[in-house]
Amino acid sequence: MNDTICALATAPGGALGIIRISGAQALEILSRIFTKDLTTAQPNTIHYGHIVENLAIQFPQVIDEVLVSVFRAPHSYTGEDSAEISCHGSSYILNKVLELLVKNGCRIANPGEYTMRAYLNGKLDLSQAEAVADLIASSNQATHQMAMSQLRGGISSKLSQLREQLLKLTSLLELELDFSDHEDLEFADRTELSNLANKIDNHITHLAHSFETGQAIKQGIPVAIVGKTNVGKSTLLNRLLKDDRAIVSDIHGTTRDTIEDTINIQGITFRFIDTAGIRQTTNEIEKIGINRTISAIRKSRIVLWVIDQEPTNEEINNIVQQAENKSVIVVCNKSDLNEYHHFTIVNFPLITISAKHNTNIGDLESAIYKAANIPTLTDTDVIVTNARHYDALIRAKEHLQRVIEGLNQQLSGDLLSEDLRLTLDTLSEITGGQITTNEVLGNIFKNFCVGK
Amino acid sequence: MNDTICALATAPGGALGIIRISGAQALEILSRIFTKDLTTAQPNTIHYGHIVENLAIQFPQVIDEVLVSVFRAPHSYTGEDSAEISCHGSSYILNKVLELLVKNGCRIANPGEYTMRAYLNGKLDLSQAEAVADLIASSNQATHQMAMSQLRGGISSKLSQLREQLLKLTSLLELELDFSDHEDLEFADRTELSNLANKIDNHITHLAHSFETGQAIKQGIPVAIVGKTNVGKSTLLNRLLKDDRAIVSDIHGTTRDTIEDTINIQGITFRFIDTAGIRQTTNEIEKIGINRTISAIRKSRIVLWVIDQEPTNEEINNIVQQAENKSVIVVCNKSDLNEYHHFTIVNFPLITISAKHNTNIGDLESAIYKAANIPTLTDTDVIVTNARHYDALIRAKEHLQRVIEGLNQQLSGDLLSEDLRLTLDTLSEITGGQITTNEVLGNIFKNFCVGK
C-alpha cells in the first residue's frame, strides 16, 4: 500500500492507451518523465505534454505526446494521488512508458490492485469492489443491471437492513437476560423474538435463492432444442441466431465478442446447449441418439420441443418424464404445411411457427423469455450473483438456524448470543467488514484485470 | 465537418474504454445524457458523474459511472469542442453510451475522422496527420522514432527548406527575366541557378532514397538463413528467436503482439523469410531444394550463410552469384567441433559461433545489424516512410529535372516557371498544401483506426 503502482488500463490495439498511476508518489514520479511539473497540479485537471526518456538532457528522446489527468487524494478512484496518461495506442510506446515509470520508482500493479486500494481506503465496500469486475464483464442489459445495482450499494443496503434487525434481536435477548436475573420471573414470551428471527431467516433465504437466477443471467440461460429429425430444429436455431446477430452488430466496430449460439431477448442471454450437431447435415442428425437429447435436456433450464405433426401420447409422456422440472415450450413448426388444433399439453405452452417463413418467431421469443421466469429487475431488487456472497449467506443461515432452534428450545439468551454474533459476522464478510487477511483479499482480486 | 462525431477510441476488452466526442455540439449533446451540465465547463477539466438513459425522469437508468474530460476549441486535438468519456470497459456499456450519443445527435465517426478534422482545422499538416497512424502502429524503437520525427514536423521542416530554395530559384529567374527585357543584354550567367537547382535535386533524391530504408524499417528487414542440411540452421534460428522473446515479454501483460520469426536488434526488426520449413524435422529439411534457397535469397536483404566446415570454391562461387547485391554473413557454426582459419571471402564478414552452446550470438547480432546498413537516426534525419510522400517526391524530381534541362538549354525563364511551379506544388502535396479534395483525403484517412 505504500508504494506507487502503474498499469495499462485499456486493451492493447486501440487508437488510445491509458496508463494509470496511483500512490503517494504518483505525481512526483510522473513529473520525472513528463515535460511539466505536476507535483503542484490542481485536482481534476488535464495537462498536455511529452513523455521523455531522459528529462535532464537538452534534447531528450520524446516517447509520446500525451494528455495527463491529475487526481488528488482522497477524491480519486483509489483514494490516493493518481494520474492517467492518455497515450497513442502503440504497444512500443505503452511498454516504454511503463518501463520509464518502473525505472523511476513505480511498481507494475497486480490484477485489481486499484480497486483493492479503493476498498482499503474506504472508497467502496467489498461487494461494490466485486461489482466493478462484474460491470466490466457485463455483456447484456441484465448482467449490467445486476452489476450496476451491486456497485451502487444494492446488496450493501440490504445487508445493512438485515444487520439492523439482527442487532434488534440481540438487544431484545439482552433485555430478556436482564429480566431473567430476577429469579422470580418466568422466561419472557419469545414469540416476538422467534418471529423476528424467522423474518430475518426468510430474507436471507430469499437472497440466497436469488443466486440461481443471478447465475443463470450471468452465464446465459441454457436452452435445449429437441425433436425428431427433419422437424426443422436447425432452421429454427439459425432463424433465432440470425435475427439476433443483426441487432448486435448494429453499431459498427464497437464489439468483437463472439456470440456463438447465444441470443439476447429483452436483455437476457439465452445459450443453446450442444447445438454443434444441429447445424450439421441431415445425415449426421440421424446419428444423434436419444442419449444426446436427454443430456441436453438435463443441462437446460428451458426445452424447445420442436414438432411438425401432432405428437402421440407416448411421445408426450416421454417428454414430460425427461423434462421434469424444466420449462418446456412445444414449438409447432411448419405452420404453412400443417395445422395443429387437436391437442394441448398441460403446463406446456404451444407456439405455432414457421421457422422457414419467419412466422411467429417473435411470439416464440416472448415465450422463451417468459419460460425463463426472470423476476423483473427493479432498482430495489437485489440479486446475488457472486459465489462468495452465496456461500456467506448459506453459512449465516446455518448460524441463524441454531439461534431459532435455541429460541424454540427455550435456551437462555447468553447461550444464543454466540450464534447471533456469528450470523452477523458472516453476513458482514460480504461487504468486507470482517475480512482483512491478505489471502482472502488476494483471492477476491486475483480475477480482476490488470489496470482496474 | 458541421456535425458532431463520436467513437470508441480504445480496443474492446480492457478495464477502461474511452469514447471520444468532437464537434460544435459535443458538450451540449453529452449534457443530455450526463448528470452534470457541461455546456459551461472549463477547458481541460475532469468531471465525475453518471451516464443515464433518460435524464428527464426521476430515477433514470444509470448506464455507467464515468469521468468526462472536457476540451474547448481551438485547444483540443481536433480544434473543436470535444469530450472524452472514460467508461468501464464493458462492451454492453460502451455500445449503450454510443447508442445514447447517436440518439441525441452525434454521428459515429469514420476512420481517422478526428485526425482529419485536426488537419482541416490547421492543428497539424497532412504528413503529421499520417504520422499519427504510423505512431499508433509503431512496434519498435525505429518505427516509433520515424513516426515521432514525422509527427513533430521532421518532413514538414525539410520540405519548408526545399520550398525556400525553390522560391529563391524562382526569384532569381524572375530577376534574370527583368534583365532580359533589356534586349541589349546577354542571358545572365546561369551557373548559380544551375547549382541551386542541382542542390535542390540532390536533397529531393536523398529524401526519395530514404524511402527504401524507411520501408525496410517499417516492414522489418528480411533475412534469409541458408546452408546445407544439418549445419544447424534451425538451432540458430531458435537461438535468435528465443533470446529476443525473453526481452520482449519483459513487462507482463502489456503486449499481445505475436512476434513469430522476427527479432529486434537495437530497435530494428529483422524478419526471417520462409522459415516455416527450417524448424521441421531433419527428414523434411532434406526435401528443401535449391529453388527454395534461391527464392529466399531473392526476397532478402541480408543472407546468413550457415556452414559447419570450410566451403569449397564452388560453394563460395554459388553463394556469391546467388546473393549478388545482398549483404551476406558467413556463419561458421559448431565452433566447439570445428576450426575455421583457412579461408576468407572478400566482402563477406565471417562470424564463428556455436548456436548450440550460445557462443558469439551477440557478435552475430551485431553483424546482422551492421549488414542492414541502417543510417543512425538522429532528430535531424528525415526518413520517408510513406508511399504517398515517395510518389510526390519522384514526381517533383521529374518536374525539377525539366527545369534543370531547360536551364542547361538556355531556355528563357518564363518557359521554366511552369515546371518550377509544378515542383513546388507537388512537394506541397506532402504536407497538404494543395490537397483539398475529399477523395484524396478519404484515401489517406480510410486506413486509420476508428476513434483517432
Side-chain angles (χ1 to χ4, degrees):
Chain A
M1 276 288 282
N2 292 327
D3 48 3
T4 297
I5 53 176
C6 65
L8 183 61
T10 50
L16 295 185
I18 308 289
I19 289 173
R20 279 189 157 173
I21 314 166
S22 185
Q25 288 204 292
L27 299 172
E28 200 181 318
I29 292 173
L30 182 51
S31 295
R32 290 179 200 146
I33 63 167
F34 188 61
T35 45
K36 282 178 189 164
D37 179 22
L38 297 173
T39 53
T40 56
Q42 290 297 304
N44 305 329
T45 53
I46 304 166
H47 306 265
Y48 169 83
H50 292 160
I51 298 286
V52 292
E53 173 120 37
N54 190 343
L55 200 52
I57 63 175
Q58 195 179 3
F59 296 108
Q61 175 71 41
V62 174
I63 302 304
D64 203 6
E65 290 187 11
V66 301
L67 290 173
V68 173
S69 300
V70 171
F71 306 94
R72 290 285 188 178
H75 302 295
S76 70
Y77 180 70
T78 53
E80 306 170 329
D81 277 359
S82 330
E84 290 182 8
I85 315 175
S86 176
C87 303
H88 289 91
S90 137
S91 59
Y92 175 80
I93 288 175
L94 295 169
N95 273 313
K96 193 77 192 174
V97 174
L98 285 173
E99 182 191 315
L100 289 175
L101 287 170
V102 168
K103 268 188 195 163
N104 282 279
C106 281
R107 169 172 68 71
I108 297 285
N110 297 320
E113 192 166 2
Y114 296 91
T115 306
M116 187 165 85
R117 288 185 174 204
Y119 162 66
L120 293 173
N121 287 321
K123 303 292 289 185
L124 27 71
D125 71 32
L126 208 49
S127 79
Q128 289 174 311
E130 289 168 313
V132 171
D134 287 347
L135 193 65
I136 291 170
S138 70
S139 59
N140 62 37
Q141 193 189 343
T143 48
H144 169 260
Q145 197 163 347
M146 292 191 307
M148 185 55 86
S149 155
Q150 189 173 324
L151 179 62
R152 300 188 73 201
I155 283 207
S156 317
S157 75
K158 205 83 178 177
L159 290 173
S160 131
Q161 288 163 25
L162 288 177
R163 188 182 163 78
E164 265 175 47
Q165 292 175 329
L166 282 164
L167 288 174
K168 189 179 169 193
L169 190 57
T170 308
S171 62
L172 285 175
L173 270 176
E174 276 166 7
L175 195 66
E176 187 197 73
L177 223 52
D178 289 344
F179 277 105
S180 68
D181 283 349
H182 305 268
E183 292 186 2
D184 50 331
L185 281 176
E186 300 253 322
F187 278 119
D189 176 16
R190 282 184 157 177
T191 316
E192 194 192 350
L193 274 67
S194 275
N195 284 347
L196 185 54
N198 279 311
K199 190 179 150 195
I200 299 170
D201 183 58
N202 280 342
H203 280 297
I204 295 180
T205 307
H206 183 76
L207 268 180
H209 275 177
S210 76
F211 182 62
E212 200 195 334
T213 304
Q215 282 300 95
I217 293 177
K218 216 166 169 179
Q219 291 165 7
I221 291 164
V223 179
I225 304 183
V226 303
K228 285 196 273 193
T229 55
N230 290 327
V231 292
K233 294 192 296 294
S234 66
T235 311
L236 174 61
L237 179 64
N238 283 329
R239 174 68 66 195
L240 288 168
L241 293 176
K242 192 174 143 202
D243 285 358
D244 185 59
R245 290 240 165 88
I247 294 163
V248 169
S249 59
D250 218 350
I251 295 178
H252 168 83
T254 50
T255 173
R256 293 183 200 163
D257 295 350
T258 49
I259 39 161
E260 263 306 280
D261 294 357
T262 68
I263 62 169
N264 187 305
I265 304 175
Q266 295 179 47
I268 304 286
T269 297
F270 293 84
R271 186 166 44 81
F272 293 99
I273 297 171
D274 205 8
T275 55
I278 292 186
R279 279 175 297 174
Q280 310 284 318
T281 62
T282 318
N283 282 339
E284 289 193 45
I285 296 179
E286 309 280 359
K287 296 177 201 156
I288 302 174
I290 190 77
N291 285 337
R292 183 145 180 189
T293 304
I294 291 174
S295 156
I297 290 175
R298 193 175 299 135
K299 288 186 229 156
S300 72
R301 208 165 132 130
I302 296 171
V303 177
L304 302 188
W305 180 28
V306 187
I307 55 175
D308 66 353
Q309 56 185 31
E310 300 198 358
T312 64
N313 282 337
E314 195 195 336
E315 286 168 344
I316 293 173
N317 287 337
N318 270 340
I319 283 289
V320 168
Q321 273 181 19
Q322 287 168 14
E324 207 188 339
N325 297 324
K326 309 290 178 183
S327 296
V328 179
I329 300 170
V330 185
V331 182
C332 307
N333 195 18
K334 307 189 186 174
S335 62
D336 52 325
L337 304 175
N338 305 324
E339 289 193 24
Y340 302 89
H341 39 213
H342 299 301
F343 81 113
T344 55
I345 305 175
V346 177
N347 293 332
F348 289 5
L350 266 63
I351 311 286
T352 304
I353 65 154
S354 164
K356 190 174 169 192
H357 295 95
N358 203 7
T359 310
N360 280 353
I361 301 299
D363 287 359
L364 176 58
E365 288 185 344
S366 300
I368 293 173
Y369 182 83
K370 203 175 156 205
N373 198 22
I374 300 290
T376 311
L377 301 177
T378 70
D379 276 355
T380 52
D381 275 332
V382 171
I383 289 185
V384 173
T385 60
N386 189 303
R388 190 181 70 80
H389 302 179
Y390 177 70
D391 176 64
L393 288 169
I394 293 298
R395 283 185 290 112
K397 198 172 143 61
E398 286 166 8
H399 294 303
L400 188 58
Q401 279 302 323
R402 280 199 285 277
V403 175
I404 292 171
E405 281 163 27
L407 284 172
N408 293 342
Q409 293 165 8
Q410 302 294 335
L411 293 187
S412 77
D414 46 354
L415 293 175
L416 302 175
S417 66
E418 173 65 8
D419 274 320
L420 208 46
R421 194 187 59 75
L422 283 171
T423 312
L424 263 168
D425 287 357
T426 310
L427 282 181
S428 65
E429 280 179 18
I430 295 174
T431 50
Q434 298 296 318
I435 303 184
T436 41
T437 74
N438 282 333
E439 193 193 352
V440 175
L441 286 181
N443 275 330
I444 290 173
F445 288 102
K446 75 179 176 195
N447 295 320
F448 270 60
C449 39
V450 174
K452 192 66 201 182
Chain B
M1 277 288 279
N2 292 327
D3 47 5
T4 297
I5 53 177
C6 65
L8 183 62
T10 50
L16 295 184
I18 308 288
I19 289 173
R20 280 188 156 174
I21 314 166
S22 185
Q25 289 204 290
L27 299 172
E28 200 181 318
I29 292 173
L30 183 50
S31 295
R32 290 178 199 147
I33 63 168
F34 188 62
T35 45
K36 283 179 189 163
D37 179 22
L38 297 172
T39 54
T40 57
Q42 291 297 305
N44 305 330
T45 53
I46 304 166
H47 306 265
Y48 169 83
H50 293 160
I51 297 287
V52 291
E53 174 120 37
N54 191 342
L55 200 51
I57 64 175
Q58 196 181 1
F59 296 109
Q61 175 71 41
V62 174
I63 302 304
D64 202 6
E65 290 186 11
V66 302
L67 290 173
V68 172
S69 301
V70 171
F71 306 94
R72 291 285 189 176
H75 302 295
S76 70
Y77 180 71
T78 54
E80 305 171 329
D81 278 359
S82 331
E84 290 182 7
I85 315 175
S86 177
C87 304
H88 288 92
S90 137
S91 60
Y92 174 80
I93 289 175
L94 296 169
N95 273 313
K96 193 77 191 174
V97 175
L98 285 172
E99 183 190 313
L100 288 175
L101 288 170
V102 168
K103 268 188 193 162
N104 281 280
C106 280
R107 169 171 67 72
I108 298 284
N110 296 320
E113 193 166 1
Y114 296 89
T115 306
M116 186 165 87
R117 287 185 176 204
Y119 163 65
L120 292 172
N121 287 323
K123 303 291 290 186
L124 28 70
D125 72 32
L126 208 49
S127 79
Q128 289 174 309
E130 288 168 313
V132 170
D134 287 346
L135 193 64
I136 291 170
S138 71
S139 58
N140 61 38
Q141 193 189 343
T143 49
H144 169 260
Q145 198 163 347
M146 291 191 306
M148 185 53 87
S149 155
Q150 189 173 324
L151 178 62
R152 300 188 72 200
I155 283 207
S156 317
S157 75
K158 205 85 178 178
L159 290 173
S160 131
Q161 286 165 25
L162 289 176
R163 188 182 163 78
E164 264 175 48
Q165 292 174 328
L166 282 164
L167 288 174
K168 188 177 171 194
L169 189 59
T170 308
S171 63
L172 284 173
L173 269 176
E174 275 165 9
L175 193 69
E176 186 197 75
L177 222 53
D178 288 345
F179 276 105
S180 70
D181 281 349
H182 305 267
E183 289 185 4
D184 50 332
L185 280 175
E186 297 253 321
F187 278 119
D189 177 16
R190 284 185 155 176
T191 315
E192 192 190 352
L193 276 66
S194 275
N195 284 348
L196 185 54
N198 279 312
K199 188 178 151 198
I200 299 168
D201 183 58
N202 280 342
H203 280 297
I204 295 178
T205 306
H206 184 75
L207 267 181
H209 275 177
S210 76
F211 182 62
E212 199 195 335
T213 304
Q215 282 300 95
I217 293 177
K218 216 167 170 178
Q219 291 165 8
I221 292 165
V223 179
I225 304 184
V226 302
K228 284 196 274 194
T229 55
N230 291 326
V231 292
K233 295 192 295 294
S234 64
T235 311
L236 174 61
L237 179 63
N238 282 329
R239 174 69 65 194
L240 288 167
L241 293 177
K242 193 174 142 202
D243 286 357
D244 186 57
R245 291 239 165 89
I247 295 163
V248 169
S249 59
D250 218 349
I251 295 177
H252 168 80
T254 50
T255 173
R256 295 184 199 162
D257 294 351
T258 49
I259 39 162
E260 264 306 280
D261 294 357
T262 68
I263 61 170
N264 188 304
I265 304 175
Q266 295 179 45
I268 303 287
T269 298
F270 293 84
R271 186 166 45 81
F272 292 98
I273 297 170
D274 203 10
T275 55
I278 292 184
R279 281 176 295 172
Q280 309 284 318
T281 63
T282 319
N283 282 339
E284 289 195 45
I285 297 177
E286 309 280 359
K287 297 177 199 155
I288 302 174
I290 189 77
N291 285 337
R292 183 146 178 187
T293 304
I294 291 175
S295 156
I297 291 175
R298 195 175 298 136
K299 289 186 229 156
S300 73
R301 209 167 131 131
I302 297 171
V303 177
L304 303 188
W305 180 27
V306 187
I307 55 176
D308 64 354
Q309 57 185 30
E310 300 200 358
T312 63
N313 281 338
E314 196 193 336
E315 286 168 344
I316 293 173
N317 286 338
N318 270 340
I319 283 288
V320 167
Q321 273 181 19
Q322 287 167 13
E324 206 188 340
N325 296 322
K326 310 288 178 184
S327 296
V328 178
I329 300 171
V330 185
V331 182
C332 308
N333 195 16
K334 307 187 186 176
S335 61
D336 51 324
L337 304 175
N338 304 323
E339 288 194 25
Y340 301 90
H341 39 214
H342 299 300
F343 81 113
T344 55
I345 305 174
V346 177
N347 292 332
F348 289 4
L350 266 63
I351 311 285
T352 304
I353 65 156
S354 165
K356 191 175 168 191
H357 295 95
N358 203 7
T359 311
N360 279 352
I361 301 299
D363 287 0
L364 176 58
E365 288 185 342
S366 301
I368 293 173
Y369 181 83
K370 202 174 156 204
N373 198 22
I374 300 291
T376 311
L377 301 177
T378 70
D379 276 356
T380 52
D381 274 332
V382 171
I383 290 187
V384 173
T385 60
N386 188 303
R388 189 182 70 81
H389 301 179
Y390 176 71
D391 175 66
L393 288 169
I394 294 298
R395 283 185 290 112
K397 198 172 142 65
E398 285 166 9
H399 294 305
L400 187 59
Q401 279 301 325
R402 279 200 285 277
V403 175
I404 291 171
E405 281 163 29
L407 283 171
N408 292 343
Q409 292 163 9
Q410 302 294 335
L411 293 186
S412 79
D414 46 356
L415 293 176
L416 303 177
S417 66
E418 172 66 7
D419 274 320
L420 208 46
R421 193 187 60 74
L422 283 172
T423 311
L424 262 169
D425 287 356
T426 310
L427 282 181
S428 64
E429 280 178 18
I430 294 173
T431 50
Q434 299 295 316
I435 301 184
T436 41
T437 75
N438 283 333
E439 192 193 352
V440 175
L441 286 181
N443 275 330
I444 290 173
F445 288 102
K446 75 180 176 195
N447 295 322
F448 271 60
C449 39
V450 173
K452 194 64 201 181

